Amino acid sequence: MNVIRRRGWEIPERLATPAHLVFNRRAFLAGGASAMALLPRAAAAQRVEDLAKLADPTADLYPAKRNEKYVLDRPITDEKINDHYNNFYEFNSSKEVSEQAQLLPIRPWTVKIDGLVEKPFEIGIDDLIRKMTLEERTCRHRCVEGWSMAIAWTGFPLARLVDFAKPLGSAKFVRMETFTNPKVAPGERMTWFPWPYVEGLTMAEATNDLAFMATGAYGHAMSKQHGAPLRLAVPWKYGFKSIKSIVRFSFVEQRPKGYWEALQSSEYGFWANVNPAVPHPRWSQATEEVIGTGERRPTLIFNGYGDYVAGLYKGLENERLWA
Ligand SMILES: Nc1nc2c(c(=O)[nH]1)N[C@H]1C(S)=C(S)[C@@H](COP(=O)(O)O)O[C@H]1N2
Ligand SMILES: [Mo]
């Protein structure tokens, strides 16, 4: 006898609920919790992630048109891999933060603009995003730890936000700050870390076309573990410069001290431009592991973006540009 045995997750097509019914927000709130109780933990966490992307108030803006100017020399990292291999110290210091990060509330989310601007103001994230024109960009991402990925971000140039903020001529740097919410972010309860996470760019870097504010990835609103609802992507710098879940942009005269610089200034500095010829004090930067492929590739100077950004560093040869 030939019995076809179906495993639990192989439900027949005709029994599967059409996506537009499952992903209705109200239905999710009413029935989602009990439905999820039936799923194993990892599957439930995955479902929370999938539903969150679709329930985002800006979900209608995705996918955005791709900006073809930025082409990759390698395939985009599989989304499942990218969503489950992250650095987000507010949650924990392992690469497995995706489940914990789902607890971060991302609405309401207010972005504060202050410092050397015509007039400081606050704006809700949805208003801000809808004032910008979203585009998709493929980018390489090189972590200082020696691994890399390639991502299709959606967002807008940071230069657009700078315009919108109306900085004064005296502003020399943009300082960015991540949320503070130790109730949901256990890492922030570890008071020996210099919270909140801070990063900064010069005005010239911030207004360079490559400096990107990402609000989405892979054609939908961004996963929380990637730094929703607003994160920086500066692909010519080591990954730690690309600050996540930003709540504040301050225009300042003094060079801001970043989180990693505050933690260990002998190893991490302000500029942090990718350079394979300058090793980290504890390891080589010559090559990188391309996550998800098993491949190790030579690292490129400015992570391959020298044509766009090398000119920003003329006359700064005495600075520690590559830390
Ligand atoms: N707020 C905040 N931003 C952060 C970090 C962090 O721990 N907290 N980690 C940084 C580091 S080291 C890297 S490599 C990237 C990782 O981004 P990803 O998880 O989306 O790949 O985020 C950067 N931005
Ligand atoms: Mo990193």
Side-chain angles (χ1 to χ4, degrees):
M1 213 170 69
N2 189 8
V3 180
I4 299 170
R5 278 202 278 157
R6 238 184 248 290
R7 282 162 291 185
W9 62 87
E10 294 173 334
I11 51 167
E13 196 55 35
R14 75 195 147 76
L15 293 182
T17 318
H20 68 278
L21 294 181
V22 175
F23 295 134
N24 175 291
R25 236 166 138 206
R26 279 253 265 343
F28 168 58
L29 292 176
S34 54
M36 273 180 317
L38 301 173
L39 292 168
R41 209 173 126 84
Q46 183 63 54
R47 215 173 124 81
V48 170
E49 286 175 37
D50 292 345
L51 286 163
K53 291 167 198 165
L54 286 148
D56 190 283
T58 55
D60 58 297
L61 300 175
Y62 303 90
K65 194 169 176 296
R66 183 171 292 184
N67 180 343
E68 301 289 350
K69 189 171 151 195
Y70 300 98
V71 288
L72 290 175
D73 56 353
R74 60 194 75 177
I76 293 174
T77 306
D78 186 83
E79 183 176 4
K80 287 275 180 292
I81 292 169
N82 215 325
D83 264 359
H84 298 98
Y85 188 92
N86 302 99
N87 274 335
F88 208 159
Y89 279 67
E90 282 80 349
F91 293 97
N92 67 66
S93 58
S94 81
K95 295 289 178 281
E96 277 119 57
V97 302
S98 61
E99 222 180 302
Q100 271 182 319
Q102 303 316 309
L103 298 175
L104 178 68
I106 56 167
R107 293 296 188 288
W109 188 276
T110 306
V111 175
K112 190 189 234 179
I113 312 262
D114 64 5
L116 302 167
V117 290
E118 279 181 19
K119 193 171 183 278
F121 62 93
E122 292 188 355
I123 183 167
I125 188 68
D126 297 311
D127 290 344
L128 175 66
I129 293 174
R130 286 184 193 277
K131 281 191 198 302
M132 305 288 151
T133 308
L134 300 190
E135 63 178 62
E136 184 175 84
R137 277 193 195 190
T138 56
C139 286
R140 291 183 291 270
H141 173 90
R142 170 61 157 82
C143 177
V144 74
E145 296 160 354
W147 54 265
S148 68
M149 298 211 205
I151 306 129
W153 293 122
T154 307
F156 53 87
L158 173 56
R160 288 279 299 106
L161 188 140
V162 171
D163 273 354
F164 182 63
K166 301 204 172 72
L168 303 176
S170 50
K172 294 205 170 69
F173 301 91
V174 191
R175 176 190 182 277
M176 289 156 272
E177 193 177 300
T178 297
F179 72 85
T180 305
N181 190 347
K183 276 208 185 86
V184 300
E188 291 191 332
R189 285 176 228 150
M190 300 179 186
T191 49
W192 57 91
F193 286 112
W195 307 112
Y197 199 102
V198 164
E199 260 308 336
L201 297 173
T202 64
M203 291 300 282
E205 290 178 324
T207 52
N208 184 279
D209 195 41
L210 252 195
F212 199 60
M213 291 311 316
T215 59
Y218 295 93
H220 51 70
M222 200 176 335
S223 317
K224 294 187 182 186
Q225 60 268 37
H226 274 145
L230 187 64
R231 78 72 70 82
L232 179 69
V234 276
W236 72 98
K237 292 181 179 283
Y238 289 117
F240 68 85
K241 293 291 293 187
S242 291
I243 178 172
K244 295 178 168 185
S245 305
I246 303 170
V247 293
R248 184 176 174 196
F249 295 83
S250 307
F251 292 83
V252 297
E253 221 169 330
Q254 297 280 330
R255 182 189 286 189
K257 187 177 270 186
Y259 174 86
W260 287 99
E261 187 180 359
L263 209 54
Q264 189 65 280
S265 65
S266 59
E267 301 192 0
Y268 311 98
F270 174 78
W271 297 103
N273 294 316
V274 174
N275 186 344
V278 179
H280 181 274
R282 292 184 283 129
W283 57 83
S284 161
Q285 294 291 24
T287 62
E288 63 204 49
E289 182 193 345
V290 185
I291 298 298
T293 67
E295 187 194 358
R296 194 159 263 287
R297 293 177 74 115
T299 287
L300 304 171
I301 190 155
F302 292 114
N303 201 20
Y305 294 102
D307 288 351
Y308 299 96
V309 295
L312 293 172
Y313 306 101
K314 293 266 149 61
L316 295 173
E317 288 75 16
N318 295 328
E319 298 267 335
R320 201 175 65 153
L321 291 172
W322 316 106

